[in-house]
Structures are given as structure tokens and as C-alpha cells.
Amino acid sequence: MKRIALDMDEVIADVYPKFLDLYEAEFGYRPKAAEYEGGKVYDLPNAYHLRNHLHDPSFFSDLNVMKGSQEVVEWLTKHFDVYLITSTMEFKNSLVAKYDWLSRNFPCISWRKYIFCGEKTFIRADYMIDDKGNNLEKFSGKKLLFTASHNVAETRFIRMNNWQEIKSYFEKELAATRNP
Amino acid sequence: MKRIALDMDEVIADVYPKFLDLYEAEFGYRPKAAEYEGGKVYDLPNAYHLRNHLHDPSFFSDLNVMKGSQEVVEWLTKHFDVYLITSTMEFKNSLVAKYDWLSRNFPCISWRKYIFCGEKTFIRADYMIDDKGNNLEKFSGKKLLFTASHNVAETRFIRMNNWQEIKSYFEKELAATRNP
């Protein structure tokens, strides 16, 4: 089975609604996507301190699941060796919250396949699905960029705009393996 | 820089004294090393339930540091790209305790280099130092087995009996790189 290194934040976990809530609670206004395109919500003027909420143990507990990801990830686990790799180490308090969120929302991925790390340069896999160019650029396999506001200008990787596109991509990969 | 994947339990953290304490507290007797050779302390008759202490959040908080490991690991980080990779995911409660133990006892290793995982099959590195044959056998680089009671019969890997031997080994590796 070919191996997939699958990222969590902004790929299967939707972090934006929470940052938009935090922004709105403080500034009394909910920014439109076009306003923070090219960056994150906390890159808006005077908002960088909102990033500190990532140290809050509850931040990761109730994140939304990215639309369509549960069904497609479950399908992927039947055809590929899926590792869930997430940069947690800057935020020690996220460790247990992320573990619980994953167990609850993605029971198809065993804890044996969780990788909590800092950098991701060490991973050996055939595919990486990630929203960050600096993770993908050091990866040796096929690099799939999941669209997020901060990466809209990125052109170096295979772009995936949603989970249905990911399913279509891997259906083709499977077909190519069966009928090379 | 060449990369080393360095294990934690029974390599830099000495787990045995704690299991011997737990065994002695329950059975009123401290087993000799020869009695549990080929296995772990909890593999002794009627003692397997002692393994459940691995679920205790405090188990990993105050483990002894393996003799000589701090000095040699610090030296290694100057010459190699050292990743600390530890199987934590079976024991969710160990995540934060291990993080704290590592930060306190091995400040020379940045959190950027921590890898907390289940299986270790995904790692891409030049060397692995581990006490478990099933981790080393799937690794593609040079496989260094750190001696522990349960692996004394293992003959497939390069055996390291203590941290001084590890330093000598890597001094030779460095010299070979400089004068190939």
C-alpha cells in the first residue's frame, strides 16, 4: 500500500471559523475572506495576538471538521496507508486536545498512525497533503496543496480545492496503479 | 548533516527502576536482572498488570536519565540532525509528561525535533538508535540496538551497550565522513 502523510489543521480541521469568532468578539466585525487572503485571520492589522489562542487547551477541542473530509479519509484508509501528521509541538497544550479530536472525528485512523511533531522534514511517504508550502517543498513524494487563504498565490504544487477533488485525484492514482 | 532518529524509553529514559519499585511494592521482593532477562519486569509471573502504570500521567514525569546520555546527546546535536522519536500514542496520558521530561532533561533538543507517534515505519533518517528490534527491522538506515533486558538475544543489529559506546561509534562515523 502506498503511504499518504495527511495534515490536520486547515486540511481536515477547519480552524478559520474559530479565529473569525475570536476576531469578531474583539473587534465587533467579521472579516470577509478577501480581506485576509494571502495570510491568516490573525495577520489582519492589530490581530496577531489572537494566535496566542493556539496555546489554549480548549482551542482544538471543538474545531469543525472540514467539509467532506470524513467520508474521503475513510475511503482513503481502505486503499492507502494513511498517517496523520500534525505540527503540535509549538503548542504543548494542544497534544491531548488534538488526540481526542482525532479519535472522535476520525476513528478510521488508528492511534498507531498519528504523528505529532515540530518540523515535518523526516517523513517518508508517497504523497503529502498539506496547506503549507514549507512542508511540501521539503517532501520527496507527490505534493498536494490543500487550498487555504494563506496559500492562494502558491503555484509549485498540485492544488486541491476541496475533499471531492482529493477523492478524484486518488481514484485516478489507484486506476493508474491497476492499469499502468 | 546526517539525521539520527533517537528513541526515548530505555535509551535516554531509564524505565526499569520504576517498574522494579512497583514490583517490589506489590510483591515485597526486588527481582534480579537475570530473572527478567529476555523480557520486561512486567513479564514476570502475575505481574503483567504493572504495565498499566504506563497509562498513569505521572509515570513518565520523573524517570531517571540513562547514564551518560545527556552529555553524548548534546555532543551528537552538534554534529548530527537529531530527532527524538518516541511511541507515545498507546498512552495518551504520557504526551505532556514526556514533553516536559524531554524539555527539562534534554534542552539541547528543540521541540521542533520531537516526534510522538505510534508505529515508527515512516521515518527517513541515516541512523536509528532504539531498543526494539521491530522498530529497527523496518528502518532503512543504519540500525543501532541499545541493550535492554528484553533484547539480549537479538543479533541482527549493531549493539550499543551504553552511551560511551554510542559516542565512540559516531566519532568513527564522523571521521569516516571527513576522511572517506
Side-chain angles (χ1 to χ4, degrees), chain B residues 32-48:
Chain B
K32 303 281 180 295
E35 295 174 61
Y36 53 87
E37 193 178 283
K40 310 241 188 179
V41 177
Y42 52 71
D43 291 323
L44 287 167
N46 305 315
Y48 198 72

Side-chain angles (χ1 to χ4, degrees), chain B residues 115-176:
Chain B
I115 307 170
F116 290 4
C117 62
E119 301 170 352
K120 296 186 179 178
T121 46
F122 56 81
I123 189 85
R124 190 163 57 83
D126 301 288
Y127 306 90
M128 177 181 270
I129 310 174
D130 208 290
D131 65 304
K132 293 203 180 65
N134 62 350
N135 288 328
L136 294 167
E137 70 189 8
K138 293 164 194 146
F139 179 64
S140 57
K142 293 183 181 178
K143 309 164 206 285
L144 278 58
L145 182 78
F146 197 82
T147 295
S149 67
H150 63 85
N151 68 31
V152 289
E154 182 63 77
T155 57
R156 294 174 292 168
F157 314 111
I158 306 165
R159 181 172 291 278
M160 299 282 132
N161 288 301
N162 54 57
W163 272 91
Q164 195 48 53
E165 288 188 12
I166 292 181
K167 182 159 189 194
S168 302
Y169 175 86
F170 282 102
E171 281 173 338
K172 285 179 197 141
E173 291 291 292
L174 274 182

Side-chain angles (χ1 to χ4, degrees), chain A residues 26-44:
Chain A
E26 187 162 329
F27 296 94
Y29 165 75
R30 197 168 187 87
K32 304 280 180 296
E35 294 175 61
Y36 53 87
E37 193 179 282
K40 310 241 188 179
V41 177
Y42 52 72
D43 291 324
L44 287 168

Side-chain angles (χ1 to χ4, degrees), chain A residues 83 92 100 119 121 124, chain B residues 83 92 100 116 119 121 124:
Chain A
Y83 277 83
K92 184 181 84 172
D100 288 339
E119 301 169 352
T121 46
R124 190 162 56 83
Chain B
Y83 276 83
K92 183 181 85 171
D100 288 339
F116 290 4
E119 301 170 352
T121 46
R124 190 163 57 83

Side-chain angles (χ1 to χ4, degrees), chain A residues 3 83 89-90 92 99-100 111-119 121-124, chain B residues 3 83 89-90 92 99-100 111-119 121-124:
Chain A
R3 183 177 301 150
Y83 277 83
M89 294 300 170
E90 187 181 353
K92 184 181 84 172
Y99 187 103
D100 288 339
W111 54 260
R112 291 175 180 81
K113 304 291 182 179
Y114 293 174
I115 307 171
F116 289 4
C117 62
E119 301 169 352
T121 46
F122 56 81
I123 189 85
R124 190 162 56 83
Chain B
R3 184 175 300 150
Y83 276 83
M89 294 298 170
E90 187 181 355
K92 183 181 85 171
Y99 187 103
D100 288 339
W111 55 260
R112 290 175 180 80
K113 304 290 181 178
Y114 294 174
I115 307 170
F116 290 4
C117 62
E119 301 170 352
T121 46
F122 56 81
I123 189 85
R124 190 163 57 83

Side-chain angles (χ1 to χ4, degrees), chain A:
Chain A
M1 260 188 181
K2 291 205 169 180
R3 183 177 301 150
I4 299 173
L6 172 63
D7 183 27
M8 178 175 164
D9 300 330
E10 300 178 38
V11 175
I12 61 169
D14 194 357
V15 181
Y16 281 85
K18 196 158 232 182
F19 273 120
L20 289 168
D21 289 347
L22 290 165
Y23 188 96
E24 189 174 3
E26 187 162 329
F27 296 94
Y29 165 75
R30 197 168 187 87
K32 304 280 180 296
E35 294 175 61
Y36 53 87
E37 193 179 282
K40 310 241 188 179
V41 177
Y42 52 72
D43 291 324
L44 287 168
N46 305 314
Y48 197 72
H49 62 283
L50 293 178
R51 187 173 186 272
N52 291 333
H53 284 278
L54 293 168
H55 290 287
D56 175 354
S58 70
F59 184 91
F60 293 95
S61 300
D62 57 354
L63 289 178
N64 290 347
V65 173
M66 196 68 81
K67 192 181 166 196
S69 61
Q70 282 169 314
E71 300 75 8
V72 179
V73 170
E74 188 170 0
W75 176 80
L76 283 174
T77 60
K78 292 176 183 152
H79 302 283
F80 296 88
D81 184 22
V82 178
Y83 277 83
L84 192 295
I85 175 166
T86 176
S87 298
T88 50
M89 294 300 170
E90 187 181 353
F91 309 105
K92 184 181 84 172
N93 292 333
S94 74
L95 291 165
V96 173
K98 282 192 166 191
Y99 187 103
D100 288 339
W101 188 92
L102 286 167
S103 320
R104 194 169 61 247
N105 292 297
F106 288 85
C108 58
I109 305 176
S110 160
W111 54 260
R112 291 175 180 81
K113 304 291 182 179
Y114 293 174
I115 307 171
F116 289 4
C117 62
E119 301 169 352
K120 296 187 178 178
T121 46
F122 56 81
I123 189 85
R124 190 162 56 83
D126 302 287
Y127 306 90
M128 177 181 271
I129 309 173
D130 208 290
D131 65 305
K132 293 203 181 66
N134 63 349
N135 288 328
L136 293 168
E137 70 188 10
K138 294 164 194 147
F139 179 64
S140 58
K142 295 183 180 177
K143 308 164 207 285
L144 279 58
L145 182 78
F146 197 82
T147 295
S149 67
H150 63 85
N151 69 30
V152 289
E154 180 64 77
T155 57
R156 294 175 292 168
F157 313 110
I158 307 166
R159 182 173 290 279
M160 298 282 133
N161 288 302
N162 54 56
W163 272 91
Q164 193 49 52
E165 288 187 13
I166 293 181
K167 182 156 188 195
S168 300
Y169 175 86
F170 282 103
E171 280 174 337
K172 285 178 197 141
E173 290 292 292
L174 273 181
T177 308
R178 286 170 184 154
N179 308 299

